[in-house]
Amino acid sequence: DLWRQLMILHSYILVKRLVKNGDHTNAALMLLRVAQNIQRFPAHMVPILTSVVIECQRAGIKDQAREYACVLMRPENRSLIAEQYKRKIESIVRKGAASQAEPFSENTAPCAYCGMDSLAESTLECPQCQNISPFCVATGLRVLRNDWAACPSCHFPARYSAFQACAQAEGACPMCSAPLKPGEVQMVSDVTQALETAKQLLAPPMRDV
């Protein structure tokens, strides 16, 4: 459960960085992950769900934007919405009822364990082999077998390509904040041991990830 709590918290922390970089789709996916566990943040539910709606709308994830906009419009939540977003959220609810948006299609990649194709990149648990893949500290997405690196300081895994870009742009690990130079980011060519370690650590079944 500690890993799950860390995963949810880090997903939320990453949102500010992702939005700053203009990656609204990934930011929305991380916020949707947090929204699925919103009971862990009772005191911040309305601000978090407001962010979910705004980022999902920006990313074109219209169905989820309207779903959570409707939650915010409930009597117990409506008065708590920041004034600057209230009209926008009301508009999403009204327009959503009259329009049929095309369903959002998330990018997919093979499971690092069994190679199952068509697995959404933000999905950590594979429905075929039941293994839970580690999340990338730079993107929050699933780490890939052919794109694997790790922070030299905290040793948390990351997608090599994203971690390299992070080192170049920010010079620090998004997880531990340790200084990070591009030359320190190394591709892990043989991920067998890393996958086995992750499998042992994340062995207990975890749903709705």
Side-chain angles (χ1 to χ4, degrees), residues 3 7 59 87 97-98 129 133 141-142 153 159 163 169 173-174 181:
W3 177 86
M7 177 269 294
R87 286 190 178 181
C129 68
S133 295
L141 303 175
R142 192 173 67 257
S153 297
R159 292 188 174 191
F163 207 42
C173 171
K181 297 178 181 179

Side-chain angles (χ1 to χ4, degrees), residues 5-45:
Q5 290 182 44
L6 175 63
M7 177 269 294
I8 296 167
L9 180 60
H10 191 65
S11 297
Y12 185 59
I13 291 172
L14 280 175
V15 170
K16 183 177 180 180
R17 174 179 173 273
L18 294 168
V19 170
K20 182 180 178 181
N21 293 337
D23 192 350
H24 296 290
T25 297
N26 200 355
L29 292 173
M30 293 303 102
L31 283 166
L32 285 171
R33 180 184 286 168
V34 175
Q36 290 166 3
N37 297 273
I38 197 64
Q39 72 277 2
R40 296 175 182 263
F41 307 96
H44 304 283
M45 185 184 77

